[in-house]
Amino acid sequence: QVQLVESGGGLVQAGESLRLSCAASGSINNFNIMGWYRQAPGMQRDLVATITNGGSTYYSDSVKGRFTISRDNAKNTIYLQMNSLKTEDTAVYYCCFRRLVAPGRGDYWGQGTQVTVSS
């Protein structure tokens, strides 16, 4: 079973940048869709951005133009570059890898990394 480990979270001021990383214990080529979600206190977990095996990307309206998702197949890692951070971006960020076919079909989650943006 693949393990996902996020890193790169922290405390920054509004307007600053952070880059999150999510490293997989196996090849990310085994997954069809990879993405980032976030969950603020008392809120549901929301989709932030995804990237497919073919390289297509999706961004939620709230982060479009500020965040960039990318991947490095050689390092089995995906990234989320977050620029122009806002206080409302404060949340725990989770990476999620989805495999659509068996064996191993399903969603795989990381443990989360805290991002706090102060005003």
Side-chain angles (χ1 to χ4, degrees):
Q1 179 143 344
V2 70
Q3 305 293 322
L4 304 179
V5 179
E6 296 115 333
S7 60
L11 171 63
V12 297
Q13 291 190 325
E16 295 184 340
S17 299
L18 277 176
R19 189 177 80 156
L20 306 183
S21 301
C22 175
S25 58
S27 174
I28 64 174
N29 290 321
N30 293 327
F31 297 91
N32 303 95
I33 304 170
M34 296 157 284
W36 291 93
Y37 288 73
R38 66 186 181 186
Q39 187 168 21
M43 305 293 285
Q44 67 180 17
R45 190 172 296 187
D46 290 328
L47 178 64
V48 175
T50 62
I51 186 166
T52 69
N53 228 351
S56 298
T57 57
Y58 162 85
Y59 298 95
S60 68
D61 287 343
S62 61
V63 307
K64 198 174 296 183
R66 299 188 298 123
F67 291 11
T68 303
I69 189 170
S70 61
R71 66 183 190 195
D72 186 331
N73 289 353
K75 296 182 178 180
N76 293 317
T77 300
I78 67 168
Y79 303 96
L80 186 68
Q81 177 67 43
M82 305 185 294
N83 298 331
S84 302
L85 283 161
K86 304 176 181 180
T87 55
E88 52 262 45
D89 294 318
T90 295
V92 178
Y93 284 70
Y94 299 88
C95 61
C96 178
F97 286 19
R98 174 168 293 174
R99 180 170 169 84
L100 297 176
V101 297
R105 179 172 55 194
D107 291 345
Y108 299 80
W109 293 88
Q111 82 286 354
T113 186
Q114 177 71 47
V115 171
T116 303
V117 184
S118 64
S119 58

